[in-house]
Amino acid sequence: VNLPVIPLCDSDSPLQYVDIAIPANNKGKLSIGLMYWMLAREVLRFRGTIPRDSDWTVPVDLFFHRDIEELKKADEQQKLDEANAAAAAAAPAAPLFDEGDAVGMEPVEASMEGVVDYPPPTETGFEPAPPAESGWDGSGAEAATEGGW
């Protein structure tokens, strides 16, 4: 037939009967839509329909396939979110604590119920070390060596 084969190829695509491969991610819906958008833009630039120095005003979203059920679910979720936001804005804010409210309140007695009384620490037989007689200058180092260290 003598037609060139120009596919959008991923890194694992076989290239046996391919004339020119366009490297692209051909696994995801969005990446394929983006590649078609780029291909359509370049074809229009080659034909001279749109200039290269200006942006193409067609949004890339028009090249993505959208399921009607997904669109309905997204629309319902958006309406639900808007209704929740309106209800939250209309609800009065929780009042802050005012010290004037505590004037007529009775004081609460503290209770020791549930408190565990631990025994005092037992004797270990160790005595604290005597304070060192030397200062930071090392003047007491001779006394430590005389003691048989």
Side-chain angles (χ1 to χ4, degrees):
V1 183
N2 219 8
L3 291 175
V5 178
I6 307 173
L8 302 173
C9 294
D10 204 354
S11 60
D12 60 350
S13 299
L15 302 175
Q16 185 176 5
Y17 300 108
V18 172
D19 295 319
I20 299 171
I22 299 174
N25 178 10
N26 60 9
K27 302 287 191 264
K29 295 186 302 185
L30 301 178
S31 62
I32 294 172
L34 178 65
M35 290 305 298
Y36 277 122
W37 180 82
M38 292 172 62
L39 187 62
R41 183 186 64 180
E42 286 302 312
V43 167
L44 290 176
R45 285 181 175 175
F46 281 141
R47 289 182 181 172
T49 307
I50 59 172
R52 286 207 173 266
D53 57 352
S54 66
D55 289 336
W56 194 28
T57 58
V58 176
V60 72
D61 296 349
L62 296 177
F63 287 82
F64 297 152
H65 171 73
R66 292 192 183 95
D67 191 14
I68 294 174
E69 292 177 10
E70 289 178 12
L71 290 173
K72 288 180 182 178
K73 287 180 186 178
D75 194 28
E76 290 173 3
Q77 183 65 33
Q78 183 180 6
K79 288 179 183 178
L80 181 64
D81 291 342
E82 289 173 358
N84 288 342
L96 298 175
F97 178 73
D98 186 14
E99 291 182 16
D101 293 342
V103 172
M105 296 177 71
E106 296 292 324
V108 178
E109 295 282 331
S111 170
M112 294 299 289
E113 186 178 326
V115 176
V116 178
D117 190 20
Y118 290 103
T122 59
E123 293 290 325
T124 60
F126 294 106
E127 304 226 358
E133 307 238 349
S134 66
W136 286 102
D137 59 354
S139 60
E142 300 87 26
T145 56
E146 292 172 4
W149 262 72

